[in-house]
Amino acid sequence: MKIVCIGSGNVATHMAQAFKASGATVLQVWSKNQEHALALASKIEASAISDLTQIDASADLYLIVVKDDAIPEIAASLKSVRGLVLHTSGATDILALASIQNHGVLYPLQTFSKARPIDFAEVPLFLEANSESSMDLLRSVAAGISARIYEVDSEKRRILHLSAVFACNFVNQLYALSQDLLVHHGLEFGMLKPLIMETALKVQSAIPREVQTGPAVRGDEQTMNHHLALLGDMPELAEIYRTLSNSIKKTHS
Amino acid sequence: MKIVCIGSGNVATHMAQAFKASGATVLQVWSKNQEHALALASKIEASAISDLTQIDASADLYLIVVKDDAIPEIAASLKSVRGLVLHTSGATDILALASIQNHGVLYPLQTFSKARPIDFAEVPLFLEANSESSMDLLRSVAAGISARIYEVDSEKRRILHLSAVFACNFVNQLYALSQDLLVHHGLEFGMLKPLIMETALKVQSAIPREVQTGPAVRGDEQTMNHHLALLGDMPELAEIYRTLSNSIKKTHS
């Protein structure tokens, strides 16, 4: 399996390394920025390129791992290849690759950081392809790097991407706001870390609504009013407190 | 160290077991409900009682681990004891125990479930006491069950409790809402579990705002508008989407 990796960010880095570890050969890493291409390419014995016209036309697989709004330009430059061209975006329709003969989507539902290793075998991968033969190849390619594979259409993939905004981006913002609150009162975010871990661990085996705790689910108006008073000088946190407490009450009414 | 545990819920169960494991003797477990008292007492070789007048006056430590609004009644029944009386509530002032000679607070900042074991040594404990001698005893008691000990006054403890609402209760509600969204579209919550774990793991070593991702921090209005359109038949989720996206934009502006 010969692969060209188009992109060199966090997702590209983790995905290209997973393919390399599975025994594939990464021929090239492309980035607009030659240094960025080189940083990844040097880790996986690939060539670094920064010119789309230099892309090797003989690869079996082309991974487009760039920002969503850069996908059309990349797709246009891959019109004539015969290998399977995949984008990896949750929010982008498969139709973005319609001008390419063999194409599909390989969406990893995970948050990737440069500094943190990821066990790719545990990353859920969502597959879509333009034909049965593309899907056959895509299935075997995906099975080489992950044990958690699902086939979904572009509409369902968009819902997954949206659900990740709630469960990752918004959750992380709540972590950031709780840090603001603690620091504002001379306390440390580290004090909350065991609670944050346990809250995430709990829903690995339990249904979230069934393990809800705190004043809103108890209907403890006195504590909620007290909390809102404590947030008197942080109106943004007070608004979020009201909105999410109401949501909890509604879920449990 | 002879202890009386007043309460038999999740927190009482984990805390009493941690004390037992540290070598203390739990003399009695009290609950309004004799069966509940017995369920915990039988695990830790204690007597089960359901009458506050039967509380052993010779214990070194009395742990009040009941709902906040039940603390005054319990405190009233412990006025004459000489041992150290502690409540374990984040939201309750130490003054709730003012009528008792030796008193203090031992607040564990963690979410406890009956079904899940907890490594109590990792649970942050927040201490407050009415005198230096009470604090000396409280420090040694707390050090017997946890390695993470802090001394804070009632005001700071209330802030910690409030921050836990953001980082635990509200986070869990976001998990619940993302499950609603997935199920509404025929998808499974299990697909999000690796992302949920990684999001919590990431902030164990990184500062939350520095690892934020997603459309709001990128200022990607097109994706946000698309997401809001997808939430057209779920107005409550749309409101939360707007509120938290605005909060992320504000944090990063």
Side-chain angles (χ1 to χ4, degrees):
Chain A
M1 175 72 52
K2 291 179 293 179
I3 299 176
V4 172
C5 180
I6 299 155
S8 63
N10 291 343
V11 184
T13 299
H14 284 276
M15 199 175 260
Q17 287 178 317
F19 275 114
K20 174 74 180 168
S22 79
T25 303
V26 184
L27 299 173
Q28 298 176 312
V29 173
W30 174 89
S31 168
K32 223 167 23 183
N33 180 316
Q34 178 74 18
E35 274 178 54
H36 293 175
L38 193 60
L40 173 53
S42 64
K43 290 180 190 166
I44 52 177
E45 300 169 57
S47 304
I49 58 172
S50 55
D51 180 347
L52 286 171
T53 66
Q54 293 182 323
I55 283 180
D56 191 322
S58 74
D60 305 300
L61 195 68
Y62 297 83
L63 286 174
I64 306 176
V65 203
V66 298
K67 284 186 181 156
D68 291 1
D69 55 10
I71 293 174
E73 186 201 344
I74 305 289
S77 75
L78 294 170
K79 269 184 194 165
S80 57
V81 304
R82 296 176 131 210
L84 179 61
V85 177
L86 303 175
H87 80 61
T88 53
S89 162
T92 305
D93 202 285
I94 189 173
L95 292 172
L97 306 180
S99 63
I100 297 165
Q101 192 182 349
N102 302 304
H103 64 271
V105 183
L106 180 63
Y107 171 53
L109 185 54
Q110 187 49 286
T111 174
F112 299 96
S113 336
K114 276 229 159 85
R116 287 181 50 80
I118 284 272
D119 179 5
F120 220 95
E122 293 295 320
V123 176
L125 297 179
F126 296 89
L127 316 186
E128 185 176 11
N130 73 309
S131 68
E132 203 41 55
S133 65
S134 291
M135 184 55 98
D136 285 344
L137 177 55
L138 178 49
R139 271 192 213 106
S140 88
V141 158
I145 57 171
S146 173
R148 306 183 63 151
I149 290 171
Y150 307 89
E151 295 176 25
V152 298
D153 61 21
S154 291
E155 200 190 321
K156 281 199 161 50
R157 193 171 57 251
R158 261 191 218 102
I159 296 295
L160 286 160
H161 183 252
L162 173 55
S163 74
V165 171
F166 280 84
C168 173
N169 306 152
F170 291 168
V171 161
N172 190 70
Q173 179 64 4
L174 291 178
Y175 298 157
L177 295 174
S178 54
Q179 181 171 34
D180 289 348
L181 176 64
L182 290 173
V183 169
H184 187 65
H185 291 275
L187 294 158
E188 300 154 33
F189 180 61
M191 294 166 171
L192 274 180
K193 288 179 181 177
L195 178 65
I196 284 172
M197 277 312 299
E198 179 64 17
T199 303
L201 277 165
K202 208 181 253 194
V203 298
Q204 302 298 306
S205 52
I207 294 165
R209 71 178 61 215
E210 292 181 3
V211 294
Q212 186 58 275
T213 57
V217 68
R218 288 198 308 270
D220 180 349
E221 297 291 336
Q222 199 186 331
T223 298
M224 285 188 276
N225 287 334
H226 199 153
H227 282 166
L228 285 168
L230 288 173
L231 293 172
D233 58 347
M234 301 180 97
E236 188 202 334
L237 271 73
E239 188 201 345
I240 290 168
Y241 190 96
R242 271 186 219 99
T243 302
L244 284 168
S245 293
N246 287 338
S247 176
I248 291 172
K249 287 189 235 174
K250 209 169 165 183
T251 293
H252 294 271
S253 67
Chain B
M1 174 73 53
K2 291 179 294 178
I3 299 177
V4 171
C5 180
I6 298 156
S8 63
N10 292 342
V11 184
T13 299
H14 285 276
M15 198 174 262
Q17 287 178 319
F19 275 113
K20 174 74 181 170
S22 78
T25 302
V26 183
L27 299 174
Q28 299 175 314
V29 173
W30 173 90
S31 169
K32 224 170 17 186
N33 179 316
Q34 178 73 17
E35 274 177 52
H36 293 176
L38 194 60
L40 173 52
S42 65
K43 291 180 189 165
I44 52 177
E45 300 169 55
S47 305
I49 57 172
S50 56
D51 180 347
L52 287 171
T53 65
Q54 293 181 322
I55 285 179
D56 191 322
S58 73
D60 304 301
L61 195 69
Y62 297 83
L63 286 174
I64 305 177
V65 203
V66 297
K67 284 186 181 155
D68 291 2
D69 56 9
I71 293 174
E73 185 200 345
I74 305 289
S77 74
L78 294 170
K79 269 183 194 165
S80 56
V81 303
R82 296 176 132 208
L84 179 61
V85 176
L86 303 175
H87 81 61
T88 54
S89 161
T92 305
D93 203 285
I94 191 175
L95 292 173
L97 305 180
S99 62
I100 297 165
Q101 192 182 350
N102 301 304
H103 64 271
V105 183
L106 179 64
Y107 171 52
L109 185 54
Q110 186 50 286
T111 174
F112 298 95
S113 337
K114 276 230 159 83
R116 289 181 48 80
I118 286 270
D119 179 4
F120 220 96
E122 293 296 320
V123 175
L125 297 179
F126 296 88
L127 317 186
E128 186 178 12
N130 73 309
S131 67
E132 203 41 56
S133 65
S134 291
M135 183 56 98
D136 285 344
L137 177 55
L138 177 50
R139 271 191 214 108
S140 88
V141 158
I145 57 171
S146 173
R148 306 184 62 150
I149 291 171
Y150 306 90
E151 295 176 25
V152 298
D153 62 21
S154 292
E155 200 189 321
K156 281 198 161 50
R157 193 169 59 249
R158 261 190 219 102
I159 295 295
L160 287 159
H161 182 253
L162 172 55
S163 75
V165 171
F166 280 84
C168 173
N169 307 151
F170 291 168
V171 161
N172 189 69
Q173 178 65 4
L174 291 177
Y175 298 158
L177 295 174
S178 54
Q179 180 170 36
D180 289 349
L181 176 64
L182 290 173
V183 169
H184 187 64
H185 291 274
L187 294 159
E188 299 154 35
F189 180 61
M191 295 166 171
L192 275 180
K193 288 179 181 178
L195 178 65
I196 284 171
M197 276 314 298
E198 180 63 18
T199 304
L201 276 164
K202 208 180 255 194
V203 298
Q204 301 299 306
S205 51
I207 293 165
R209 72 178 61 214
E210 291 181 3
V211 294
Q212 186 59 276
T213 57
V217 68
R218 288 197 308 269
D220 180 349
E221 297 291 337
Q222 199 185 331
T223 298
M224 285 189 276
N225 287 334
H226 199 151
H227 281 165
L228 285 168
L230 288 172
L231 293 173
D233 58 346
M234 300 180 98
E236 187 202 335
L237 272 72
E239 188 202 345
I240 290 167
Y241 189 95
R242 271 187 219 98
T243 303
L244 284 168
S245 293
N246 286 338
S247 176
I248 291 171
K249 285 188 238 176
K250 208 168 167 186
T251 294
H252 294 271
S253 67

